[in-house]
Amino acid sequence: MLESQWSAAAKQSNPYRPDSDSDFIRFADITSFIRQRIFLIMSCPFIGLLGAVFYVATTDSIFTARTQILIEPKIPELLQKQSSDINLSLDTSQVETQLAVLRSEKIASMVIDELGLVDDPSFKPLHSPSLTVRLERIAGMAVETFAFNEVTQPPTAPPPSTAPDAAETSELTAELLEFQRRRRVVETFSQGLGVQRVGVSYAIDITFNSLDPELAAKVANATAGAFVREQLETRAAAAREGVEWLEKRIEEVRVQMNLATQITQEFRAKHDYRVGRQPGAPIVDGQVAPSGEGESTTPSGPTLEELEVTAETYRKMYESLLAGFTNSVNQQPFLIADARVITPATRPLAPSYPRTKLVLALGVLAGLMAGVGLAFARHTLDRTIRTPRQIRDELGLDCIGELPAARFFRGFGQLDDVLKRPESPFSRSLRSTKAAISMAEVAHPLRCIGITSVAPGEGKSTVASNLAALYAASGVRTLVIDADVFHSALTNRLLYARASTDENLDDIREQIKFVPGQYFDLLPSEVSAAHRLITPKNMEKLLDELDSYEVIIVDLPALASGVHGLTAASVLDGVLIVTEWGKTPFELVAELSRVLQVTKTNVIGVIMTKVRSVSTRQYRSRATQAAR
């Protein structure tokens, strides 16, 4: 299991910490964490949604047109003559070869020349706009600053010059610019073109991305047509080359055949083929020479039979080549490509990029993850009081009240909120706190209750005034002593007529003022300062004299005003520590608790003020039911 953020060392340093499974994260901790950081967690998805909307609104819409072609394997004529049951298939390398042809620059050049993309201003590269351009688009200034726009403009004519070298230089520069311009168009075409095989079939998907939906469909269809046309042109070129080779070869064989025939006829005309000739007898002047005459008795050179065989061979070769030539010429007009278009591209109805719903969902999800991460980081590094469990585990004290802010824009609350707005969350929470004090009074009577805090402004005076109003409203005679001589909030805000210096300050009972509309009495801070009630001896003497009051609430100075201001707490029946939710550090509350323990003061519990997420609803419900 995961360990919680609160260290286990507090258990060793704090003997009041209960031995439980509080070192592990529970479901209540998770819900409390979400309630405490709900604004941060929910604000980040909202920011992520705004970022996604900004991205979608400022990104160029890209349209994708799709066409599909089918490659059909052809059976050679030799195999067709041998058997009609042959099933010829293309392997992966052959299909990949066709894909490479589709991606080649030859196909790109054919499409560019066919559609005139070099001079088409709508044929632009698919660059992501810069942040400046996005901001300008949001502001309503549609300024396109693509670098490709400058390249696609016709080159500016150089200034006229009479020098021949300048003219040649300008021509070379124009050629270079034209070459660069075409190369960028080819790169843009390759960037937008997509070629992919459909599974293991012979079908090939051809897609093209463009800012213009009409142009995307035209380019996709032109690419498929160029591929089919390239196959036909390649086969036609091969057929023409074959015919040209056959013509040359036929001419060569014809010459050789005629020469062999002529030699055979000449040989037949010059020789005597009478029957009386002896084998091997030489012929002299058309007659058979007698034996012994002539230079040789054996014939020299090829015989008639050899010449006739040679002539017949050349004749057959000539006839074979002539038949092949005739067949090639007859088949040339019937060339058929191995690919055909099965799905032509049409104008896309909606852009394929950006995918609005997906981008918005990712923006919200990314914002939610960032919010949870930031909330967890703040929760881990936060050392302020936020939950009753932290108070119990870190300080060994009980949280007897969680008081929400009475007004969202006007701070924590007023001194008479429980009377003016008795059904407000603040009033209900304070009544639950009073019930918790009543339950604690069972073990130890709590007549004199002190209220203190770490620093001024944490709401201790407001708690003291409203708690006294609750006691007084229930019929209990209540007195509030403003002992905070450093910050006299109760005296300044409850008493409109301040005590004058001419009055007799020796008799404390005469200085007690009734607060109009509050039903309780108040001892001003001037009297407390004059009688030095912050000292234990003077405070104890005063409490003995005020035995007519059933409940006395003392507004003690804060820890920031000095430790000496808390010494009077030792003569009180108990002290409530007021902390501000999410602001009061643990270390200072622990220091205040240590000071009260040193003075032998009974700490009743801790009250959290300005709570944004109340985490003790069940506890307060039980306390309210017990009070009833």
Side-chain angles (χ1 to χ4, degrees):
M1 298 181 67
L2 298 175
E3 295 185 1
S4 63
Q5 63 154 343
W6 302 285
S7 60
K11 180 178 178 180
Q12 300 176 0
S13 61
N14 196 340
Y16 298 99
R17 182 176 180 180
D19 187 9
S20 62
D21 58 347
S22 58
D23 289 336
F24 300 94
I25 293 179
R26 298 174 298 183
F27 181 75
D29 299 327
I30 298 176
T31 56
S32 176
F33 166 77
I34 294 176
R35 285 196 300 267
Q36 294 173 17
R37 309 292 180 179
I38 187 64
F39 293 104
L40 178 60
I41 295 176
M42 297 306 298
S43 61
C44 288
F46 181 72
I47 295 175
L49 180 61
L50 291 181
V53 171
F54 171 79
Y55 176 81
V56 171
T58 58
T59 301
D60 294 325
S61 297
I62 298 177
F63 297 86
T64 302
R66 172 180 172 271
T67 183
Q68 196 173 73
I69 62 175
L70 181 64
I71 301 177
E72 298 178 348
K74 298 295 183 180
I75 302 177
E77 296 182 1
L78 181 61
L79 297 179
Q80 290 179 358
K81 295 178 181 179
Q82 291 179 357
S83 176
S84 59
D85 298 332
I86 297 178
N87 184 14
L88 186 63
S89 61
L90 298 175
D91 56 8
T92 304
S93 61
Q94 291 176 321
V95 178
E96 290 295 332
T97 302
Q98 301 296 335
L99 298 180
V101 173
L102 279 169
R103 301 189 187 101
S104 64
E105 291 191 6
K106 181 180 180 180
I107 300 296
S109 300
M110 294 173 64
V111 176
I112 291 172
D113 295 337
E114 178 184 354
L115 300 179
L117 299 180
V118 177
D119 301 324
D120 191 351
S122 62
F123 190 72
K124 300 176 182 179
L126 305 178
H127 289 323
S128 178
S130 62
L131 180 61
T132 303
V133 176
R134 294 179 184 273
L135 294 177
E136 290 176 352
R137 291 179 180 180
I138 288 295
M141 301 172 60
V143 178
E144 298 181 355
T145 55
F146 294 105
F148 181 71
N149 292 340
E150 300 178 357
V151 178
T152 55
Q153 298 297 328
T156 305
S161 176
T162 57
D165 294 340
E168 294 178 359
T169 304
S170 62
E171 292 179 0
L172 293 177
T173 304
E175 293 178 359
L176 180 60
L177 291 177
E178 184 65 23
F179 174 75
Q180 293 177 352
R181 182 181 175 189
R182 187 175 182 84
R183 288 302 307 170
R184 286 186 172 87
V185 173
V186 172
E187 292 176 359
T188 302
F189 179 85
S190 301
Q191 179 187 3
L193 181 65
V195 179
Q196 186 177 6
R197 184 179 182 181
V198 181
V200 295
S201 65
Y202 295 150
I204 298 177
D205 275 340
I206 301 175
T207 59
F208 192 81
N209 301 324
S210 177
L211 303 177
D212 186 3
E214 294 288 349
L215 183 61
K218 291 180 180 179
V219 174
N221 288 327
T223 303
F227 176 71
V228 176
R229 190 168 63 254
E230 189 273 339
Q231 283 193 341
L232 295 177
E233 292 178 356
T234 301
R235 294 191 176 187
R240 286 194 300 269
E241 292 178 359
V243 169
E244 293 176 358
W245 180 84
L246 284 176
E247 289 178 348
K248 293 180 180 179
R249 184 60 179 165
I250 287 172
E251 182 64 21
E252 294 175 358
V253 174
R254 186 183 65 81
V255 172
Q256 293 177 356
M257 180 189 67
N258 294 335
L259 180 60
T261 303
Q262 182 181 358
I263 294 175
T264 302
Q265 292 175 357
E266 292 177 354
F267 186 88
R268 185 181 293 112
K270 292 181 180 181
H271 290 71
D272 186 9
Y273 294 98
R274 288 177 296 181
V275 180
R277 178 189 175 190
Q278 296 179 0
I283 300 176
V284 179
D285 295 333
Q287 297 180 357
V288 179
S291 178
E293 296 183 0
E295 296 180 356
S296 176
T297 58
T298 60
S300 61
T303 62
L304 178 60
E305 289 79 4
E306 293 176 350
L307 294 177
E308 289 177 349
V309 170
T310 302
E312 182 66 19
T313 301
Y314 279 115
R315 186 182 64 80
K316 292 181 179 181
M317 290 174 60
Y318 178 77
E319 292 177 353
S320 176
L321 291 174
L322 193 61
F325 175 78
T326 304
N327 189 24
S328 299
V329 172
N330 292 333
Q331 290 183 355
Q332 186 173 0
F334 302 100
L335 294 177
I336 301 176
D338 293 341
R340 58 187 176 91
V341 179
I342 58 177
T343 304
T346 57
R347 181 184 184 276
L349 299 178
S352 58
Y353 181 84
R355 302 174 64 179
T356 304
K357 295 182 179 180
L358 180 61
V359 172
L360 295 179
L362 290 178
V364 173
L365 180 61
L368 181 61
M369 295 176 62
V372 173
L374 291 176
F376 182 77
R378 288 192 59 183
H379 185 75
T380 304
L381 301 176
D382 188 11
R383 293 297 299 167
T384 59
I385 293 179
R386 290 182 179 273
T387 62
R389 182 189 172 193
Q390 293 174 292
I391 297 173
R392 182 181 68 251
D393 294 344
E394 293 284 349
L395 305 175
L397 301 176
D398 292 329
C399 179
I400 63 174
E402 296 178 83
L403 306 181
R407 295 172 179 82
F408 186 76
F409 294 103
R410 297 182 58 187
F412 173 51
Q414 302 298 324
L415 300 179
D416 54 353
D417 278 335
V418 293
L419 300 179
K420 290 184 177 180
R421 285 167 291 275
E423 297 302 325
S424 65
F426 173 82
S427 300
R428 292 197 299 267
S429 299
L430 191 60
R431 284 196 294 269
S432 300
T433 302
K434 178 178 174 295
I437 296 175
S438 301
M439 289 190 297
E441 192 176 0
V442 176
H444 182 73
L446 298 176
R447 173 175 171 265
C448 301
I449 302 174
I451 299 178
T452 185
S453 62
V454 171
E458 294 183 346
K460 66 180 182 63
S461 298
T462 302
V463 173
S465 175
N466 284 277
L467 187 60
L470 286 179
Y471 278 109
S474 62
V476 178
R477 192 177 182 188
T478 306
L479 172 67
V480 177
I481 300 177
D482 188 1
D484 190 357
V485 297
F486 306 100
H487 302 86
S488 304
L490 291 177
T491 303
N492 296 334
R493 296 167 62 182
L494 291 179
L495 297 182
Y496 299 100
R498 302 292 300 275
S500 62
T501 57
D502 295 337
E503 296 179 359
N504 185 13
L505 299 179
D506 295 335
D507 191 357
I508 296 181
R509 294 186 179 184
E510 295 181 0
Q511 305 303 323
I512 296 176
K513 307 294 182 180
F514 177 75
V515 181
Q518 296 291 332
Y519 307 108
F520 62 82
D521 298 335
L522 174 65
L523 183 64
S525 59
E526 293 87 351
V527 181
S528 299
H531 291 271
R532 297 184 57 83
L533 296 182
I534 60 175
T535 59
K537 181 178 179 181
N538 296 335
M539 179 62 73
E540 185 178 8
K541 180 179 178 182
L542 175 62
L543 296 178
D544 293 338
E545 295 177 359
L546 301 176
D547 53 357
S548 60
Y549 290 97
E550 300 178 63
V551 174
I552 300 177
I553 297 177
V554 182
D555 187 10
L556 296 171
L559 177 64
S561 300
V563 180
H564 62 281
L566 299 175
T567 56
S570 60
V571 300
L572 303 178
D573 296 330
V575 174
L576 295 174
I577 299 177
V578 176
T579 61
E580 184 175 352
W581 184 90
K583 187 176 181 180
T584 305
F586 274 110
E587 290 77 8
L588 297 182
V589 180
E591 179 65 19
L592 176 58
S593 176
R594 187 187 66 82
V595 170
L596 295 177
Q597 290 179 4
V598 169
T599 58
K600 305 296 178 66
T601 302
N602 177 32
V603 179
I604 303 173
V606 179
I607 299 176
M608 289 191 297
T609 61
K610 304 179 184 180
V611 179
R612 296 181 183 177
S613 59
V614 179
S615 59
T616 57
R617 291 189 178 92
Q618 298 179 357
Y619 169 78
R620 292 190 293 106
S621 300
R622 291 195 300 267
T624 303
Q625 294 175 1
R628 292 177 181 176

